């Protein structure tokens, strides 16, 4: 049999090229990392029928079914149809599998659905965002986490969405037990203090984690009606300059965040370096090239931030610059004998 | 005198009542629960039946009107003291049978506990009237039947059973007859609904010997209980308070004295001058609370403090069950006897 396959087409179809010749792996997209049992069974069936009976759990809450023969792609795509429909992932032609793979699965922590600290429904927002941006070949990573604990490690994504609540204080229900003060300081940032038996919140320091609300025994602290969000921008892993995402907005609303993400795709259309390997260039590196102001021209188009929202004046990213030096022994500061 | 009222008829009665009384009732507070987008039932002032939560047990009790979580008692400056104004207009409180029984306990502590009467409590108490909410079924964690608080036959203006969208009223106070008649309510045969069994049953020992203090059963709570005090703050019979003197920051000679709710489970309750603390271990605190509720109070007044509302079980973040503790004490006492 002649083996002549357009691997680029396979990749766009969400199949990974394997190092084993003749094999591919099917990447199952699970927005928000929540899958129904029927779809999960189908993953198992595909693995048993077309793979070697194993399934990899991916870092981004999807599945990867390895050791599938290249020739079986169409059959696997047919089987994937049920999963695609159940997970509500946008598709081109039914039966033809996933229409893209560039824009990565949107990750979510357990959030409000399960976690006492979740400030919003992370799974629901992840699914909503996925519907809004997928399919697309641009390499974009988005993650939603329910609170500032950041269990979903959103700071390693291009867009890290962190839930916030603005604690509301009713002094008439406060008995001055100081549990909020204690837990804000032990489990969070220490934004509360006692003045004359009542509690004062340092509104600048408060990160909106809701820990005080959780521990208050009287409902003197309650959550704001509005769900707020902190938006982290352009975190990444990788070879050249891995770095954590930086704060861009706090106390933002959901609609603005969605718009900013959507607008980013226009920026990518305009600035992506088509000469990049596999025309795959990470947004963060494009912003390094064009400057953040140019990026924001696109990203903030038609975005109307709410009255509470604060935006970072300047954004500087740190991280290790392996393209400049990889030196460990001759660091700037010498502390120990290990150094020459 | 019994009546069956539609919603609009009942609202007309409430409107009539509102002319004379403030109405204080359990209210479902949307989004004000502990977790995101969860609700909580807390007492508040209402005007119409749609605001009143008839179908859930209230998470916090009616006691907040009598013993506010935070109450300014008086203001002071150099030589002058002025008592704080309070809204002492007449009020009608809607509550269930267990809470009517809790009221008796609160009165006991604040009005009939030795020679001293708490005037701040009395001022409010004198202006309160009650409406009994009938219980058509038992809620999760209730053990009122075991505590003998499932039924209340007097001490209220009327009782109301909320059944299938209508309000069945048993009127006790004859002065309200006109109000009900005017609403167009149909006369009917109504008695206050009450439950005759709960899923949870406890047995309180007749006599609890002091040896129970040394029992191992309390040790488990040293670790399990996190001393959050939620069990005390939702309890309709917990009546402990502490004082706060606040000196206004821009004039240190002027200030106010408040009394605020206190909890025997929370750090600091048994702390004395010099920093000593009598009940450091959470198990010791649990012992103190339990014996107060089912033994010490009875020794003094002849009946148990706990009314079996089960709110402490509902709220405990560590799933510690007070009814189970009562039964453990019972078992320990029996074991000691044999
Ligand atoms: S990030 Fe917050 S909401 Fe999400 S799982 Fe962690 S603690 Fe819970
Ligand atoms: S929301 Fe978090 S940071 Fe803000 S006061 Fe409460 S516990 Fe502290
Ligand atoms: S935890 Fe609640 S009751 Fe205790 S001091 Fe804080 S606000 Fe007041
Ligand atoms: S101890 Fe628990 S069950 Fe008993 S009255 Fe208090 S809250 Fe209700
Ligand atoms: S609510 Fe539970 S954990 Fe909190 S003090 Fe009471 S028994 Fe302890």
């Amino acid at each position: 049999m002649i083996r002549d396959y357009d691997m680029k087409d396979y990749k766009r179809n969400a199949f990974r090229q394997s190092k084993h010749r003749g094999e591919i792996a099917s990447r199952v997209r699970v927005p928000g990392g929540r899958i129904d049992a029927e779809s999960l069974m189908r993953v198992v069936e595909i693995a048993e029928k077309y793979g070697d009976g194993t399934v990899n759990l991916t870092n981004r809450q999807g599945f990867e079914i390895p050791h599938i023969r290249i020739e079986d792609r169409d059959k696997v795509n047919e089987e994937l149809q049920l999963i695609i429909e159940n997970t509500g992932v946008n598709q081109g032609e039914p039966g033809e599998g996933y229409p893209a793979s560039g824009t990565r699965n949107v990750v979510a922590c357990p959030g409000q659905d399960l976690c006492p600290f979740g400030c919003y429904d992370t799974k629901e927002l992840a699914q909503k965002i996925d519907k809004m941006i997928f399919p697309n070949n641009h390499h974009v990573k988005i993650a939603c986490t329910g609170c500032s604990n950041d269990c979903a490690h959103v700071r390693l994504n291009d867009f890290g969405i962190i839930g916030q609540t603005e604690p509301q204080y009713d002094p008439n229900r406060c008995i001055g037990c100081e549990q909020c003060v204690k837990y804000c300081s032990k489990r969070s940032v220490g934004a509360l203090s006692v003045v004359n038996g009542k509690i004062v919140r340092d509104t600048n320091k408060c990160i909106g984690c809701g820990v005080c609300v959780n521990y208050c025994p009287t409902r003197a602290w309650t959550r704001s009606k509005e769900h707020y969000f902190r938006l982290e921008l352009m975190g990444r892993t990788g070879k050249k300059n891995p770095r954590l995402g930086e704060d861009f907005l706090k106390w933002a609303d959901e609609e603005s965040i969605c718009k900013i993400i959507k607008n980013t795709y226009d920026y990518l259309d305009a600035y992506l370096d088509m000469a990049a390997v596999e025309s795959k260039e990470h947004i963060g590196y494009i912003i390094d090239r064009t400057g953040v102001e140019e990026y924001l021209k696109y990203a903030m188009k038609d975005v109307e931030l709410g009255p509470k929202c604060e935006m970072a004046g300047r954004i500087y990213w740190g991280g290790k610059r392996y393209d400049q030096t990889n030196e460990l022994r001759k660091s700037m500061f010498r502390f120990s004998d290990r150094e020459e | 005198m019994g009546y069956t009222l539609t919603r609009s008829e009942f609202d007309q009665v409430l409107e009539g009542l509102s002319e004379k009384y403030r109405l204080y009732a359990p209210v479902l507070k949307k989004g004000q629960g502990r977790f995101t987008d969860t609700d909580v039932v807390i007492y508040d002032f209402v005007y119409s039946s749609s605001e009143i939560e008839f179908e859930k047990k209230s998470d916090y009790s009616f006691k907040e009107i009598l013993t506010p979580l935070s109450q300014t008692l008086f203001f002071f400056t150099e030589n002058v003291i002025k008592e704080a104004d309070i809204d002492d207009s007449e009020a009608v409180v809607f509550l269930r049978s267990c809470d009517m029984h809790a009221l008796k306990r609160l009165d006991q502590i604040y009005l009939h506990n030795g020679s001293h009467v708490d005037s701040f409590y009395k001022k409010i108490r004198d202006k309160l009237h009650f409406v009994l909410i009938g219980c058509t079924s038992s809620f999760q964690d209730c053990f009122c039947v075991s505590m003998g608080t499932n039924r209340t036959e007097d001490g209220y203006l009327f009782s109301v059973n909320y059944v299938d969208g209508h309000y069945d009223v048993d009127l006790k106070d004859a002065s309200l007859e006109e109000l009900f008649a005017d609403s167009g309510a149909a006369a009917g045969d109504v008695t206050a609904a009450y439950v005759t069994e709960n899923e949870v049953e406890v047995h309180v020992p007749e006599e609890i010997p002091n040896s129970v203090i040394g029992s191992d059963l309390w040790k488990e709570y040293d670790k399990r209980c996190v001393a959050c005090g939620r069990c005390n703050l939702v309890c309709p019979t917990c009546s402990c308070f502490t004082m706060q003197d606040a000196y206004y920051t821009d004039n240190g000679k002027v200030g106010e004295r408040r009394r605020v709710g206190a909890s025997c489970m929370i750090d600091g309750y048994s702390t004395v001058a010099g920093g000593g603390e009598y009940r450091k271990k959470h198990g010791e605190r649990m012992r103190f609370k339990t014996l107060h509720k089912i033994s010490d109070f009875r020794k003094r007044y002849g009946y148990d403090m706990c009314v079996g509302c089960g709110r402490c079980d509902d709220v405990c973040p560590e799933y510690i069950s007070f009814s189970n503790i009562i039964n453990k004490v019972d078992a320990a006492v029996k074991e000691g006897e044999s």
Side-chain angles (χ1 to χ4, degrees), chain A residues 109-111 115 117-118 145-147 149-151:
Chain A
C109 82
C115 178
F117 293 101
T145 208
C147 76
N149 222 31
D150 192 7
C151 296

Side-chain angles (χ1 to χ4, degrees), chain B residues 221 224-232 263 265-266 282 286 289 312 315-321 325:
Chain B
Y221 304 103
R224 275 185 74 195
C225 170
V226 295
C228 67
R230 294 177 204 182
C231 48
N232 298 121
S263 150
M265 302 303 287
I266 297 178
H282 300 173
M286 186 63 86
K289 179 181 83 174
C312 48
V315 79
C316 178
E318 304 299 322
Y319 280 87
I320 291 169
S321 163
I325 291 174

